[in-house]
Amino acid sequence: MAPSVAACQLEIADLAVERNHERVRDCLASLDVDVAVFPEQMLTGFVPDDRIRDAAIARDDDHLTDLQSVADRENTALVVGFVEDGRTFSWPTPSS
């Protein structure tokens, strides 16, 4: 049988990670699907200027850890977008 997939289009609040996190969390907990797909920048919002840096989150952010726990509990694969805080990531340097 093919996996069941939900394309979850929710209202996104710009620069409001906590509010968007709760929306994703509530939606995810209410679904009975194999895969839940949320929009790009769902957690951070769509802001085309430097203010987005204030909402950017790290890959190990508590909001993502919590959503992973909910997805695990619901046995659902989760795809959710956010702007990553690049200050927490460093590119590997090539060896000479």
Side-chain angles (χ1 to χ4, degrees), residues 6-10 27 31 36-39 42:
C8 307
Q9 186 65 44
L10 305 176
C27 182
L31 297 172
V37 181
F38 292 87
M42 176 66 218

Side-chain angles (χ1 to χ4, degrees), residues 20-33:
N20 294 330
H21 164 259
E22 288 301 319
R23 288 180 178 152
V24 171
R25 190 178 208 287
D26 292 346
C27 182
L28 186 58
S30 72
L31 297 172
D32 184 20
V33 295

Side-chain angles (χ1 to χ4, degrees), residues 8-73:
C8 307
Q9 186 65 44
L10 305 176
E11 180 181 351
I12 301 172
D14 290 336
L15 306 175
V17 174
E18 188 65 38
R19 189 174 338 152
N20 294 330
H21 164 259
E22 288 301 319
R23 288 180 178 152
V24 171
R25 190 178 208 287
D26 292 346
C27 182
L28 186 58
S30 72
L31 297 172
D32 184 20
V33 295
D34 298 313
V35 181
V37 181
F38 292 87
E40 61 179 330
Q41 297 186 19
M42 176 66 218
L43 293 180
T44 51
F46 293 92
V47 179
D49 56 46
D50 287 344
R51 294 176 300 152
I52 195 63
R53 292 180 185 175
D54 295 333
I57 58 177
R59 289 186 217 175
D60 61 351
D61 185 87
D62 290 342
H63 295 97
L64 295 174
T65 302
D66 177 66
L67 291 177
Q68 184 62 55
S69 295
V70 174
D72 288 346
R73 185 178 67 237

